[in-house]
Structures are given as C-alpha cells and as structure tokens.
Amino acid sequence: MKITDPHPTFLPVDNIDTDRIIPARFLTTTRRDGLGCHLFEDWPEGKAALSDASILIAGNNFGCGSSREHAVWALVDRGFRAIVSTGFADIFHANAIRNGLAPVVIAGEDHARLVSLLDDGPDHETVLDFTSRRLICGPLDITFSARAVPTGQAIPGDAELDLLLARIDDIERWEAHHPPRIDTRKDRR
Amino acid sequence: MPASPRTLFDSIWDDHLVIPGSSHDDSSDVLYIDLHLVHEVTSPQAFSILRERGLCLRRPGQTIATMDHSTPTVPPDADGRHAFSDTETAAQVAQLEANCTEFGVPLYPLGHEDRGIVHVMAPELGLVQPGMTIVCGDSHTSTHGAFGALAFGIGSSQVAHVFASQCLLVRRPRTFEIRIEGTLAPGVTAKDVILAVIARIGTEGGVGHVFHYTGSTVRAMSMEERMTLCNMSIEGGARAGLITPDDTTFSYLAGRDFAPRGHAFDEAVSGWRRLASREGAAWDRSVTIDATAVEPMVTFGTNPATGIAVGDPVPDPGGLPTEEERAALRRALEYMALESGRPLAGHRVDVVFIGSCTNSRLSDLRAAARILDGRKVHDRVRMLVVPGSHRVKRAAEDEGLDLVFRNAGAEWREPGCSMCLAMNGDRARPGELVISTSNRNFEGRQGPEARTVLASPMTAAACAITGTITDVRELLQ
Ligand code: SF4
C-alpha cells in the first residue's frame, strides 16, 4: 500500500486544533459528508495551502482540542489520506484510524529535515509506503510508525463495531455478574 | 499487567475489563461503559449508524441526553418559541429529540427544569459516582473524574459503538500524577491552578495518559473546584483526570436524584471507600506543583498552555529554542495583538464571558458576584453570565446573584455552552478581546478573529469592572 503525492500540503505548524480544522459553527450538520469545503475555514494560511493533495505535512500535536470527528470527516472529504506529524492528540488519532485517514508519526529530527527540505522548495514528490513504513521525499528516506493504512474510505465498514457486535455474548455474560450502576429511566420522585 | 501497587485508575479499568486486548488481534481492551452522556452535536451521525445497520440502542437506561451546544441562551418568547440562531441549529436540536424518541434515550430537552450543559447536569443529578466508567462524544468528559470515575471523550463513531454494545475498544493509557500541595492565596482559584499546571506541562504533555490529581490542595477542594481541575485535563493532552473519592465526594452525592438512598447509600459509600483504599502509587510519570506560588492567571496566546500570572510579562519569542516555536509565538501574539515584554494587566477588554462546563457552577457565580457586588460593569464592556444548568440558575436566583449581575449591567442568560464555542449565535465580533472563564482560547473559538483570554470567574469579574485586564487582588478588600 503506497500513496504518492507530487505536492503534499505543507503546514508545519504545531498544535493545529480541531476548531481550526473545522470551526464549531459548521458542526450543525447531522451528516458525515460534505464538510471538506469548510476545512480550515477561518484560517487563511491553512486555506491558502490547500490544493488537491492527499498528504498533509503538519506540526506536532495535530488535532488537539475538541473530540469532534467532524475534523477527520472534513480532511477525508477534502481528499486527504494521510497526515504526517511528530505526534497526534489521542482522540483525533483514534478518530482518524477509524475513518481510513492514516496518522503517520515520524521522529522530531526527521520532521525537522523534512520541513527544511520543503521550506527551500515545496515541490517534492512525497511517497508513503505503508508496507515498508517509509516516507520518501527527495533525498530523504524516513521510517515512520502508523497504526493504520489509509483505506481512503470516508465511511468504512466499521471493523471495531463488527468486533464488538461479534462479542455481544461475552458482554452479556459480563453484565450478568455486574448489575448496572445506574438507571437513567428511573422515576426520580 | 501493571506492577502492584495499583492506582485507582488500574482498579477501575480492571473492574470494567470485559475482554483483554491480548485475546484478539487488536491490542485494545474491550471496556464496559457504565454511563453514556449524549448531546446534539456529536450524536446524529452515531444514531444514523444504528439506523443504517438495523441496530438498536442496547442499554437506554445507561444513556442520558441533553441539548446544550447549539441551544439559544435567550428565554423563549411568550408562545414558548425558542430563538435559534439559524435553521440548522434548530434542526440539529429537533433531530436529537427525534433520535431519543426513536431509540428510547431519556432526554432533558429545552424547557426541562433540570436541563444543563452535559458536564454540569450529570454530576448535579447524582449520575456520576465513584468507580464508574463514563463516556461522551465530548472531550471535556474528563470533568467527571472529579468523582473518582474514569471518564473520557470519544468520537462519533465510538458513540455508535457504545450505543450498540455498551462497550468500547480502547488501549490502556498510562498514569500521570499531578501532585498539588499547599494553600491557595486569596484571589487564586482552581481555575488558576489548572492553568498553571497546563502552562507547566504543555498542551501535549499528557498525551496517552490519565492525570491523577493528588496532594493537600486537591483534598481541600470542594467538588465544584475539583470539577474545574479535571475539566481541563484534556487541555494538557490527557484523556481523563482522576481524583480519589473521599468524604467531600460522598457528602456531595448524598441525596442526589440518581444516587442510592438510605441503607443502599451507606453500602455504596463503603464500596467507594474500599475502591479508594485499593490505591497504591505506581505512576508512570509525576510532577509536583506548589499551589502557594500560584497567582491569578491569564492566557496570552492561542492555546491553553499559554497561562501566565496577570502581572508577569508576555514572553519573548526570541527566548524560544526552535524557529518553529518562535514563529508560532510570533503568530499567536500577532493574532492576539499583544506585545512581548509587557504584562497583560492594563490591556483593554471588550467582552466578559462567565460560563462553560469549566466555570458555570454556583460557586463560580458566587465568586464573580462577590467581586461585582455594588460595582458596575465598565461602560464599553459587554458581560454575559450563563449558568451551567437550570438548577444552577434557580439556586443563583434564590440567593439574588442574578440581581447582582443585572444591577452591575451584565446579561443574565439561560443555561448552555453559549460563547464557550460560539455555535448558538452567542459570539464575539472580529478583533474583540474576550475575558472568558471557558477552557479554550484557540483562534476563532469564540467567533471569527475574536481574541480569547482564559481566566477565573473572579478575574473575569474584576476585568469587567475596570474594562482592562486586572489583578483581582486589587479589588479584594
Ligand atoms: S461548555 Fe464548552 S467545553 Fe463545555 S461542553 Fe460546552 S462547548 Fe464543550
């Protein structure tokens, strides 16, 4: 599994939070698609950097802040399949994997070399090889860690949900020994 | 398996472990969820997943919903109509109502006398109890760790997982002790403490961890102060915050609607005490904060880790180690229209917002009212006070706090998230400087180009009076 991008989107800014990825006023949607047009809506620098790229090269702690999965939906809807960073916020990381968007983690010194290469001239073809876990960009050949490969699907057949549903019997057995801690339907008067 | 001694976190995790990760291909554990909190913004897609796959909601009695994020904070008109900011927020709220009816979820809708911000309402009703696992499609679910419950935010896909199975696939986080020792000085609050903690460890300092707050300062805090502390754990990158339950916790719970009653309550308390006593101290990381040195805090930048004492100078980008950090700070100061080398004190303020799941409880409103009592909000300042729930609102009105705010010239609103994330129409205008008791100062969080300074309710009230960023201690008599 490989992604090749002639012009990755280059935004090496730390702490790109989910409010910046998709501002709250666009969260009124009750759907998962169609959010790509609002990606980086209030962030001129981010908006200006957008093209038809499938790889986003970002700074540390990408996706911090609100748990909104809308941030991942917007990135996927806009065509992104992988985000490269030195680290991701926990909830964003989990949301990304679940939606076929690969969070690619590289070491700090590799990130610095990548940033200075792209700073000098942004037009470098970038290849992410998920089989060998290597990022190749110009003269750079960097190993990365990623817990998922990009399926490129906005709404994948949810493997986690399938797994949980397949174990309902185990869950029921567990519940038999652990009565519910609360009943929200209880009449409170 | 963790080495003995176990932490409270380990005990709760192990008590809810349905299937350990090692038994299937993913290394995530199947964890049982006792309580699932739901609101209108992150749930519609999850209900759709149930519908698409023909699934039912497995445990409606362990699920509860409220509407808070996109609801108006102005009262309904004479005919009971609510003034939604647009048709989309109205539709989202209507969708939640329809979803809850279809799937049998108990809902506290607009007009309900106990409705409130999800993280204010659930503890108030006694739904949050020690030793529980609690999730919500909302990162500030960390608030509920104040009760010794393991509570964390999840994405909408996971909301569907809990709907369908009452379980989650999750990796076991590590533990991070935040030890806070000493007595707080007058004018210094739990909000100042958590801003100081986050300034110390950074926005990503807690990634992959659960914070466990310990120490004499934490033990001396009320439940409302503990909630303020745990609420902002996510701002330090942690999934959850946790405080060992004690007598303060148990007496808060006594008599609450969903708490056990009579003999059952006494039994529950002994169970909670046993849970607390199982605790050892094998933290993966630890940091100690001297609470006696904490001063009233304000943030100068565009992330919550930029807190400084109100009289301290804004840092100089030149002092940072890497060019990326220097550029980020320059950019943040440009956005905030602030200069390095000078303190924030004295800067002009346009809007003051008291509210949000961090600081909208009765004690927060009392603290702000104490500063405002007999004084006036500065002419050019617009001040909004938004109680966290209808219960908070009624209790505040019973004490006459609403009159203190109104007489000072502030707006007294209906409960909701309001200007914390500005999706219901309450927002600041471009360029305005907002002193906000909420938890996030990201660019545009309170409206496009609005500039947010995070602070405590006392500091916010002081700034409202003077119209400038102010050290509240100057107004304490
Ligand atoms: S008050 Fe703010 S942080 Fe809290 S739940 Fe509402 S929007 Fe989120």
Side-chain angles (χ1 to χ4, degrees):
Chain A
M1 170 85 217
K2 242 185 211 182
I3 303 177
T4 303
D5 191 336
H7 311 283
T9 296
F10 182 55
L11 282 167
V13 179
D14 287 350
N15 302 314
I16 297 177
D17 57 79
T18 53
D19 271 84
R20 208 187 276 204
I21 298 170
I22 179 121
R25 63 181 186 281
F26 302 113
L27 306 190
T28 50
T29 179
T30 51
R31 303 166 57 95
R32 280 165 282 180
D33 54 359
L35 284 164
C37 56
H38 300 306
L39 183 63
F40 301 144
E41 182 76 39
D42 294 339
W43 185 30
E45 184 189 345
K47 231 177 164 149
L50 289 174
S51 57
D52 55 358
S54 56
I55 298 173
L56 169 60
I57 295 167
N60 191 37
N61 198 30
F62 187 85
C64 60
S66 148
S67 63
R68 59 188 72 162
E69 199 162 326
H70 308 68
V72 171
W73 296 330
L75 287 159
V76 171
D77 194 52
R78 194 66 174 66
F80 286 104
R81 299 175 66 195
I83 317 283
V84 178
S85 170
T86 48
F88 293 87
D90 286 331
I91 305 179
F92 180 90
H93 190 264
N95 284 341
I97 289 172
R98 219 161 270 127
N99 287 277
L101 178 69
V104 170
V105 179
I106 61 176
E109 54 273 27
D110 290 332
H111 189 264
R113 288 193 293 149
L114 182 64
V115 167
S116 77
L117 176 75
L118 294 172
D119 253 341
D120 291 343
D123 286 342
H124 280 285
E125 182 179 271
T126 301
V127 180
L128 290 172
D129 184 336
F130 286 86
T131 315
S132 62
R133 303 209 159 171
R134 281 159 68 215
L135 180 159
I136 294 158
C137 180
L140 300 178
D141 184 343
I142 295 167
T143 54
F144 65 75
S145 69
R147 270 184 54 212
V149 294
T151 58
Q153 255 179 300
I155 307 159
D158 190 328
E160 289 184 15
L161 182 53
D162 293 339
L163 196 151
L164 289 166
L165 292 173
R167 305 301 291 262
I168 288 288
D169 288 349
D170 295 299
I171 297 170
E172 263 170 14
R173 262 193 296 279
W174 190 92
E175 283 175 325
H177 299 105
H178 299 81
R181 292 287 307 269
I182 212 94
D183 186 356
T184 54
R185 293 165 304 185
K186 149 176 131 177
D187 184 353
R188 296 188 285 122
R189 274 144 307 174
Chain B
M1 279 287 105
S4 57
R6 297 196 304 169
T7 61
L8 176 65
F9 162 78
D10 292 320
S11 289
I12 300 175
W13 191 277
D14 295 342
D15 287 350
H16 291 82
L17 187 57
V18 179
I19 307 168
S22 48
S23 73
H24 48 86
D25 46 358
D26 194 307
S27 57
S28 301
D29 293 335
V30 175
L31 193 74
Y32 195 78
I33 302 303
D34 291 317
L35 177 65
H36 188 186
L37 311 171
V38 174
H39 65 72
E40 74 274 29
V41 179
T42 53
S43 65
Q45 294 83 359
F47 282 112
S48 299
I49 290 171
L50 292 185
R51 230 175 262 119
E52 284 160 18
R53 298 186 53 148
L55 297 165
C56 61
L57 197 144
R58 211 166 150 261
R59 297 284 175 246
Q62 288 165 249
T63 313
I64 197 157
T66 185
M67 26 186 79
D68 51 6
H69 284 64
S70 48
T71 52
T73 56
V74 289
D77 67 14
D79 302 323
R81 274 189 307 254
H82 295 281
F84 284 97
S85 57
D86 53 45
T87 52
E88 285 179 343
T89 50
Q92 188 168 58
V93 163
Q95 181 74 57
L96 179 68
E97 206 142 9
N99 285 336
C100 288
T101 306
E102 181 180 345
F103 290 95
V105 177
L107 168 69
Y108 287 63
L110 273 178
H112 192 291
E113 60 175 19
D114 290 333
R115 186 189 63 85
I117 301 174
V118 60
H119 308 308
V120 176
M121 182 184 96
E124 232 168 38
L125 291 172
L127 284 161
V128 176
Q129 297 168 20
M132 289 173 71
T133 49
I134 301 172
V135 296
C136 175
D138 197 285
S139 58
H140 291 99
T141 310
S142 61
T143 310
H144 311 293
F147 290 80
L150 178 63
F152 54 93
I154 55 177
S156 295
S157 298
Q158 289 177 303
V159 171
H161 299 174
V162 181
F163 279 169
S165 70
Q166 204 55 35
C167 285
L168 270 181
L169 273 168
V170 267
R171 293 179 162 229
R172 190 183 194 116
R174 293 180 294 277
T175 55
F176 191 154
E177 181 196 24
I178 312 281
R179 175 170 289 275
I180 310 169
E181 297 284 2
T183 307
L184 297 177
V188 180
T189 69
K191 177 63 162 288
D192 302 295
V193 172
I194 190 63
L195 286 173
V197 168
I198 301 162
R200 166 90 169 267
I201 62 176
T203 51
E204 80 278 23
V207 168
H209 291 78
V210 166
F211 287 156
H212 195 138
Y213 300 95
T214 65
S216 59
T217 322
V218 180
R219 282 197 301 277
M221 283 182 177
S222 69
M223 285 315 297
E224 299 196 351
E225 293 174 293
R226 293 179 188 186
M227 284 189 253
T228 300
L229 205 59
C230 288
N231 174 273
M232 290 188 70
S233 303
I234 182 78
E235 270 64 62
R239 283 300 290 278
L242 202 53
I243 294 174
T244 301
D246 59 12
D247 286 332
T248 304
T249 323
F250 311 145
S251 55
Y252 178 96
L253 281 165
R256 302 255 161 201
D257 305 65
F258 285 95
R261 299 285 168 110
H263 180 60
F265 183 76
D266 299 335
E267 270 189 2
V269 169
S270 355
W272 296 334
R273 280 193 205 286
R274 273 198 304 279
L275 177 78
S277 70
R278 277 198 276 165
E279 182 180 322
W283 317 106
D284 295 305
R285 287 174 70 190
S286 188
V287 64
T288 302
I289 304 282
D290 175 9
T292 62
V294 176
E295 296 184 66
M297 299 285 285
V298 284
T299 56
F300 60 84
T302 51
N303 75 59
T306 57
I308 50 174
V310 62
D312 281 355
V314 172
D316 180 1
L320 293 174
T322 70
E323 180 46 36
E324 274 168 48
E325 288 170 78
R326 288 190 288 273
L329 180 51
R330 275 195 297 270
R331 159 83 195 142
L333 294 180
E334 188 191 319
Y335 182 87
M336 292 299 294
L338 293 171
E339 277 168 49
S340 56
R342 283 182 49 202
L344 261 70
H347 275 277
R348 172 200 163 112
V349 169
D350 304 298
V351 180
V352 171
F353 170 63
I354 293 188
S356 91
C357 57
T358 314
N359 280 130
S360 65
R361 297 180 181 83
L362 186 60
S363 57
D364 301 313
L365 302 186
R366 280 182 187 153
R370 208 176 97 215
I371 305 295
L372 270 174
D373 196 8
R375 295 179 166 126
K376 290 279 177 213
V377 173
H378 192 280
D379 282 348
R380 65 155 185 267
V381 174
R382 176 177 159 223
M383 180 175 185
L384 247 74
V385 185
V386 186
S389 70
H390 279 288
R391 286 197 178 194
V392 171
K393 182 165 185 265
R394 280 194 301 275
E397 287 172 353
D398 287 347
E399 293 181 13
L401 302 184
D402 58 323
L403 291 179
V404 174
F405 292 122
R406 284 182 205 272
N407 290 343
E411 296 173 45
W412 177 247
R413 294 291 189 92
E414 296 293 301
C417 296
S418 181
M419 209 185 266
C420 173
L421 91 165
M423 85 176 272
N424 75 331
D426 297 343
R427 64 166 81 145
R429 285 186 286 269
E432 283 187 330
L433 188 102
V434 189
I435 304 294
S436 180
T437 66
S438 57
N439 43 48
R440 287 184 176 143
N441 53 352
F442 298 143
E443 285 185 23
R445 171 85 175 180
Q446 298 192 293
E449 288 168 62
R451 302 178 290 144
T452 300
V453 171
L454 302 177
S456 75
M458 282 172 110
T459 296
C463 298
I465 294 160
T466 61
T468 57
I469 298 180
T470 298
D471 188 332
V472 63
R473 291 171 297 192
E474 291 163 17
L475 299 184
L476 286 178
Q477 247 36 266

